[in-house]
Amino acid sequence: IHMPCYKGMLKSGLYSCPTCGKALQDMRGAWRSLDREVVETPMPPEYADLYREVLCKDCGKTSNAMFHVVGMKCAVDGCGSYNTSVEGPFLRKSDSDFVPLTDNELEHLYTVALP
């Protein structure tokens, strides 16, 4: 990427490579800020224990991340990036596994206002 293009992207708030999606710089400070925002933005009870399968564009792995409107943090040990994309349905933890929500649960969920 050309240096003027790179600088322009950063000034515009774009921090990931347009080709591969990985972060172009150290984002740990930004992730800490998002961690605080997640804590300060409580989810409605209906969303409190939900997960989504996400693909982390920084480590390249999938994981089941806690669902949050602020962002979904990669759950791979040692990563913790919010540079993720949703890859699967809403999930609920059941014992030691994750199960998709039923159609009835989803219908109810979509009636709940988010923060």
Side-chain angles (χ1 to χ4, degrees):
I1 190 166
H2 306 99
M3 189 53 71
C5 297
Y6 171 75
K7 289 179 180 179
M9 286 177 57
L10 294 179
K11 284 181 183 175
S12 299
L14 302 172
Y15 59 85
S16 58
C17 173
T19 303
C20 70
K22 288 188 179 190
L24 293 168
Q25 60 185 19
D26 183 354
M27 297 297 294
R28 287 179 290 194
W31 302 156
R32 283 191 296 274
S33 293
L34 285 173
D35 285 341
R36 285 190 298 274
E37 192 172 340
V38 164
V39 169
E40 294 169 2
T41 310
M43 294 293 289
E46 294 87 351
Y47 283 88
D49 294 317
L50 295 183
Y51 294 78
R52 297 294 296 263
E53 182 182 7
V54 297
L55 170 64
C56 178
K57 295 179 183 168
D58 289 330
C59 75
K61 297 179 181 174
T62 58
S63 64
N64 292 322
M66 287 288 294
F67 175 77
H68 202 284
V69 294
V70 170
M72 286 172 273
K73 184 176 185 171
C74 177
V76 172
D77 285 339
C79 184
S81 170
Y82 280 91
N83 186 12
T84 60
S85 61
V86 173
E87 297 294 312
F90 278 103
L91 303 169
R92 188 175 308 284
K93 203 169 194 176
S94 172
D95 297 322
S96 62
D97 201 11
F98 291 90
V99 294
L101 270 60
T102 65
D103 289 342
N104 286 340
E105 289 173 313
L106 283 172
E107 283 180 34
H108 173 68
L109 192 64
Y110 294 145
T111 65
V112 177
L114 291 172

